[in-house]
Amino acid sequence: MIENLKAILAADKPARLKRRQALHQAAAERILVLDGAMGTMLQRRKLQEQDYRGTRFAGANSDLKGNHDLLNITRPDVILAVHKEYLDAGADIIETNTFSGTWISQADYHLEAAVDDINLEGARLARQAADEMTAADPARPRFVAGAIGPTNRTASLSPDVNRPDFRNITFDELREAYKMQAAGLVAGGADLLLVETIFDTLNAKAAVFGLYELFDELGEQWPVMISGTITDLSGRTLSGQTTEAFWNSLRHAKPFSVGLNCAFGAQQMRPYVAELARVADIKVSAYPNAGLPNQFGEYDEAPHATAAHLREWAEHGLVNIVGGCCGTTPDHIRAIADSVRDVKPRAIPSIPRQLRLAGLEPFAVPAA
């Protein structure tokens, strides 16, 4: 597999390295804008079971409606259209439609065998949309982030309250699944790899391990974005870590950026973004939901309201990359892009060199 992947990547290497250089330059000059929610846009289209099945999966033995990643294969026209809407709205970086693109998540639909194509086609579609926009406006190149979701299993916690020692996934299974997904994404043309919506830091460590193992085998390293999820107002991830402890646990990966997404609207997320901005000596990203869900599970926060929050974050020097998560639309991204256009990106702080550890809480060993 690796030799075939190397051959695929060799042909695109000059263009890929040029895009990577442009990405770093753009991030130094301005606040970059991520796209918004793919799921929200797909739900608006009222797609039916047949849209998900297409011809390839017509004989599938389980319901496929809602398995949005399959649309990369069965309705690429729909996915391409969503990407273009977000690019037209002002997104600098679009995410591939691959949030559930591991065999672990696809096992729920008995579609583990489709994972390679889900990721490859997902990245190709985003690459096509980004390249078309860049060709139309070469002064502002657009980039593709390969979206890597958290899976529906957790390495740190038991799914059975009566068996606290039980795990339904191992670290190595996660590592291999993430590595396999990343291979498809880079083959399809992803510029970055985005490990997002992290609720369990051990899952994220497995992802980092798998990604960097792939990079070692390919002899090339892609920029990695890491984005966690604070699950309640105590300021902790689902596996119990505070924001600073989360960063301490993953800073060894030396990612392109670290940030937060999902779970909260911007108003509730702000203190935790500020905490990351204080402790992280790399770029900080933030893409909140469109407020908190209402009693029907829908998101009501208007684009101008979300944008006003992110404008305030930018003015206070908290962010380098902003965007939207659940409930956000091209209207939200357009408002966000307009709101931060004239604001300088957060200056990367110089953090004193120190041994920093983490359990649920951070711990810094005092300098001698």
Side-chain angles (χ1 to χ4, degrees):
M1 180 189 79
I2 292 299
E3 292 306 314
N4 289 340
L5 182 52
K6 284 182 177 180
I8 292 170
L9 293 170
D12 181 57
K13 190 168 186 178
R16 183 168 65 253
L17 295 181
K18 184 179 179 180
R19 292 195 303 267
R20 195 171 298 161
Q21 182 181 13
L23 170 66
H24 287 284
Q25 181 177 343
E29 294 173 350
R30 66 181 188 272
I31 295 174
L32 298 182
V33 178
L34 273 169
D35 59 5
M38 176 63 74
T40 297
M41 298 301 290
L42 295 178
Q43 288 164 11
R44 285 183 168 188
R45 283 164 164 78
K46 308 296 184 184
L47 299 174
Q48 301 302 311
E49 180 72 17
Q50 181 54 39
D51 292 297
Y52 292 87
R53 287 179 176 268
T55 56
R56 176 169 171 178
F57 306 108
N61 294 324
S62 60
D63 291 341
L64 302 183
K65 185 178 178 180
N67 185 1
H68 295 328
D69 293 21
L70 273 191
L71 298 171
N72 297 336
I73 300 170
T74 60
R75 288 298 307 270
D77 58 314
V78 171
I79 303 304
L80 188 62
V82 173
H83 286 322
K84 289 182 176 181
E85 286 187 60
Y86 279 121
L87 289 167
D88 287 339
D92 296 294
I93 304 171
I94 53 172
E95 297 182 48
T96 57
N97 178 43
T98 55
F99 186 81
S100 300
T102 60
W103 67 261
I104 297 168
S105 297
Q106 289 300 318
D108 286 352
Y109 301 93
H110 311 291
L111 291 177
E112 297 93 326
V115 164
D116 285 343
D117 287 342
I118 284 173
N119 291 289
L120 182 65
E121 297 306 321
R124 283 176 174 170
L125 289 167
R127 177 83 272 142
Q128 178 184 340
D131 287 348
E132 289 177 4
M133 184 61 73
T134 300
D137 184 7
R140 188 183 173 190
R142 309 301 177 94
F143 309 100
V144 173
I148 299 175
T151 82
N152 50 8
R153 301 188 188 186
T154 170
S156 291
L157 304 171
S158 171
D160 185 347
V161 294
N162 297 313
R163 300 169 60 195
D165 61 323
F166 173 68
R167 300 291 184 272
N168 61 1
I169 195 74
T170 68
F171 183 92
D172 282 338
E173 286 173 328
L174 284 164
R175 173 180 61 83
E176 287 293 338
Y178 287 125
K179 179 181 176 181
M180 179 181 180
Q181 180 175 21
L185 292 170
V186 300
D191 298 306
L192 314 94
L193 294 172
L194 170 55
V195 183
E196 65 174 335
T197 322
I198 300 164
F199 57 81
D200 182 350
T201 308
L202 191 55
N203 281 38
K205 285 190 170 187
V208 166
F209 194 128
L211 266 56
Y212 279 81
E213 186 174 48
L214 177 67
F215 298 162
D216 286 345
E217 293 175 4
L218 294 175
E220 181 178 339
Q221 184 170 318
W222 277 252
V224 175
M225 299 175 69
I226 292 176
S227 185
T229 294
I230 301 299
T231 55
D232 60 44
L233 293 176
S234 70
R236 297 178 183 270
T237 63
L238 183 65
S239 56
Q241 283 195 308
T242 64
T243 306
E244 184 175 355
F246 171 75
W247 166 236
N248 282 0
S249 296
L250 290 165
R251 65 194 305 272
H252 67 280
K254 299 181 180 179
F256 176 76
S257 68
V258 65
L260 298 173
N261 74 288
C262 207
F264 287 154
Q267 182 175 352
Q268 296 79 22
M269 188 185 284
R270 190 194 190 282
Y272 313 115
V273 173
E275 181 70 359
L276 264 184
R278 180 183 69 83
V279 301
D281 53 358
I282 61 169
K283 298 172 186 64
V284 166
S285 70
Y287 49 115
N289 294 342
L292 295 175
N294 60 27
Q295 62 268 36
F296 302 107
E298 298 174 345
Y299 295 87
D300 300 325
E301 187 169 270
H304 72 272
T306 304
H309 286 296
L310 270 61
R311 166 82 183 194
E312 187 269 334
W313 297 2
E315 289 177 334
H316 283 82
L318 302 184
V319 289
N320 303 89
I321 304 168
V322 294
C325 203
C326 301
T328 58
T329 66
D331 289 338
H332 288 83
I333 298 308
R334 183 174 290 105
I336 290 168
D338 290 343
S339 74
V340 301
R341 182 169 288 115
D342 62 342
V343 186
K344 292 184 179 298
R346 163 182 167 270
I348 308 300
S350 177
I351 306 295
R353 187 178 178 87
Q354 195 172 4
L355 174 61
R356 290 179 170 85
L357 307 173
L360 299 183
E361 307 281 345
F363 177 73
V365 178

